[in-house]
Amino acid sequence: MANFPHAGQQPLVELSRAFPLTDLSATTAGADPARTYEALRAQWGPVAPVQMEPGVPAWLVLGYREFGTVARDEKLYSRDTTNWRLHREGLLPEGAAIWAYTPPVEKKPWSSFHHDGETRARLRRPLDDALDALPDAAVKERTNEVCGLLLDRLDGEEGTVDLVREYAAVVGFGAMASLFGFDSDTAEQMRQDSAVIMQEYGARTADARKRMGQALMGHVASRQAHAAVDLTSEFVRHPDFHNGREVADSMTVPLIAAAEFLTAWVALTLRLVLTDERLSARWEGGRIDLDQALDEVLWRDTPVPNSCLPRFATKDTVLGGALIREGDAVVLAMAGANRDPEFFAGELEVGNKSHLAWGTGPHACPAQRHARLITRTAVQRIRQELTLTLDVPVDEIQWASTPWVRHPQTLPARYRREATRGTEL
Ligand code: HEM
């Protein structure tokens, strides 16, 4: 570590004064995130100081080994925002977007995402149990229903479509909301509200939060009164949830994850198969296994490049040569660790699943099977029904500006309907 400035173990707050810190969104919205990660690694080593937004510094964990250390040690790297010094001491800038993930203590959500240890385990069990019990057929059926509705909305035999706004951004949330038992109108309102909550901070966010909270609590109450065959009813009857608020809070994370993360995975996979000549030729020739394309995205264009909610150090420690002080924010870089040259050099081996796109440790994504089924079904269905040609040069694609998720802002395409392409994937 001798070459790195923090070899002298300067605290984050001093580094943030002494150096212009890289914006986290350069790793998501920039044209070449790989280069940004490389530059950070070259300058700082496996743990780099960055700013999540102006005035909000954090450590970014780019090393594969260090990633595992942080993700698995919830005692030292807590998910509880009350351990964040900036938050605790009232130093978070007024109006900072990160407030959306780190609400005041009294409003801290009762979901596994925001807790550690036994409380995390208790709140996580219903999620795991309900998702494990969900049959593949139900996930595919609901996804296909939403795909059908979206494809029916397109006019005529040929035309133009924005594959992000009119498809990728709607399909995942629609499928997940339907699995939770929401009707399609409520689901669409909640999808719009969740987009506002994740992307803005201000009066509109407060309204969106309130409306979404009411929709969730109303739905939970209706399932408490009359159970149905859906995920909400599974949650309601689970003995580990103590009340309706815990059920509603624990529904928010999977719904928002479905909205944000599936938008990214569907959009990135469509972009890849439409722009990568090597892949599209194999696709047309019927030789591509769609799962290979999905895995290539998880490795190379990781949909969730950085963990949305940081961890917060509960005591001073040294990680990858960096001095982490009690109360510092620590962000896991899934996409950075997937490119750690010490572990992964050269071409990917087919079938290698040791990437970190799902995280690892006690907070790893509980919906990996479901996310793959939804994404695979959505990509397969649109490719079967439409012949698509991208309407924008690949190097002019604009990226959504968020520090956590990477996906094209828009993906304009021309389409022609097919009777049914029938390519088995
Ligand atoms: C059906 C769609 C999805 C659902 C319902 C879902 C649900 C969740 C939930 C509830 C968590 C938090 C678990 C906890 O903290 O206990 C989580 C974490 C996570 N999910 Fe997913 N997810 C979905 C799709 C995806 C996709 C498409 C990706 C990216 C390929 C992804 C990547 C992650 C990652 C990286 C974490 C861990 C974050 C961390 O440790 O900081 N998820 N997911």
Side-chain angles (χ1 to χ4, degrees):
M1 293 299 133
N3 294 331
F4 304 125
H6 62 232
Q9 308 215 322
Q10 294 183 62
L12 185 58
V13 64
E14 281 172 27
L15 286 170
S16 70
R17 288 191 197 118
F19 293 88
L21 297 185
T22 302
D23 265 327
L24 199 49
S25 56
T27 64
T28 55
D32 194 354
R35 188 173 294 181
T36 308
Y37 285 118
E38 275 162 33
L40 283 168
R41 206 186 310 272
Q43 185 178 2
W44 302 101
V47 180
V50 292
Q51 57 175 13
M52 294 192 271
E53 57 190 293
V56 190
W59 295 106
L60 186 65
V61 182
L62 306 157
Y64 192 80
R65 190 181 297 109
E66 291 76 12
F67 186 113
T69 303
V70 174
R72 292 196 185 92
D73 189 346
E74 57 182 337
K75 273 200 178 131
L76 182 52
Y77 298 102
S78 159
R79 244 338 184 8
D80 184 340
T81 48
T82 51
N83 289 314
W84 192 10
R85 193 178 342 97
L86 284 188
H87 201 275
R88 198 172 57 210
E89 296 177 2
L91 299 173
L92 261 188
E94 191 65 29
I98 191 74
W99 276 111
Y101 304 84
T102 57
V105 180
E106 67 281 6
K107 291 194 183 153
K108 192 158 62 106
W110 283 96
S111 83
S112 60
F113 195 58
H114 293 87
H115 290 266
D116 308 315
E118 279 180 25
T119 307
R120 189 259 317 138
R122 175 176 71 76
L123 294 169
R124 172 78 186 228
R125 271 192 298 273
L127 197 57
D128 288 334
D129 290 350
L131 287 170
D132 284 352
L134 194 58
D136 288 3
V139 180
K140 282 197 228 170
E141 185 192 303
R142 298 306 171 86
T143 309
N144 262 314
E145 279 167 16
V146 180
C147 293
L149 286 173
L150 297 176
L151 293 170
D152 284 352
R153 279 189 201 157
L154 300 178
D155 275 342
E157 289 305 296
E158 15 185 280
T160 54
V161 56
D162 177 352
L163 295 172
V164 176
R165 195 172 48 80
E166 295 174 77
Y167 198 70
V170 193
V171 70
F173 189 88
M176 208 60 209
S178 167
L179 289 163
F180 270 108
F182 289 98
D183 63 68
S184 55
D185 288 344
T186 313
E188 179 52 21
Q189 182 62 57
M190 283 174 39
R191 185 184 72 78
Q192 291 176 19
D193 286 338
S194 100
V196 171
I197 293 167
M198 301 311 284
Q199 285 155 26
E200 299 176 21
Y201 189 78
R204 252 165 59 92
T205 321
D207 288 347
R209 262 182 197 288
K210 194 168 163 202
R211 209 169 23 239
M212 192 151 170
Q214 283 168 348
L216 284 163
M217 284 309 289
H219 189 61
V220 170
S222 85
R223 291 305 187 260
Q224 283 170 326
H226 303 285
V229 182
D230 56 31
L231 287 173
T232 311
S233 303
E234 293 296 322
F235 275 25
V236 161
R237 67 168 72 95
H238 200 287
D240 281 334
F241 279 140
H242 292 168
N243 53 51
R245 160 125 190 246
E246 290 186 354
V247 173
D249 284 1
S250 297
M251 287 165 67
T252 310
V253 180
L255 284 167
I256 288 187
E260 296 283 305
F261 301 175
L262 285 175
T263 299
W265 202 10
V266 173
L268 290 168
T269 308
L270 285 171
R271 169 184 165 272
L272 182 73
V273 296
L274 291 173
T275 59
D276 187 307
E277 284 174 15
R278 177 183 49 103
L279 275 181
S280 53
R282 279 162 59 202
W283 185 297
E284 296 307 329
R287 280 177 293 122
I288 190 174
D289 167 2
L290 179 50
D291 280 306
Q292 284 172 17
L294 294 172
D295 283 339
E296 188 153 332
V297 171
L298 293 181
W299 268 109
R300 293 288 187 224
D301 220 356
T302 315
V304 184
N306 307 309
S307 62
C308 305
L309 180 65
R311 270 77 172 167
F312 309 101
T314 54
K315 59 180 189 205
D316 291 358
T317 185
V318 176
L319 180 75
L323 172 65
I324 314 276
R325 282 271 163 88
E326 186 278 324
D328 281 357
V330 179
V331 174
L332 294 176
M334 329 296 173
N338 278 350
R339 293 176 179 276
D340 186 338
E342 204 186 317
F343 289 84
F344 309 109
E347 284 297 302
L348 284 179
E349 291 162 45
V350 173
N352 183 340
K353 298 257 196 293
S354 54
H355 61 73
L356 290 166
W358 306 110
T360 187
H363 290 284
C365 182
Q368 300 174 29
R369 173 172 62 93
H370 318 78
R372 180 175 291 268
L373 280 171
I374 293 171
T375 306
R376 192 202 286 140
T377 306
V379 174
Q380 194 167 21
R381 179 80 185 264
I382 195 169
R383 292 281 294 172
Q384 277 175 345
E385 294 207 11
L386 306 178
T387 296
L388 292 165
T389 323
L390 215 54
D391 224 1
V392 59
V394 64
D395 49 5
E396 287 177 23
I397 290 173
Q398 300 293 312
W399 295 91
S401 173
T402 120
W404 320 111
V405 183
R406 174 169 169 79
H407 65 82
Q409 182 70 31
T410 62
L411 215 43
R414 272 171 286 126
Y415 69 84
R416 199 184 62 242
R417 280 190 202 275
E418 294 293 325
T420 297
R421 287 162 63 104
T423 318
E424 269 306 310
L425 297 165

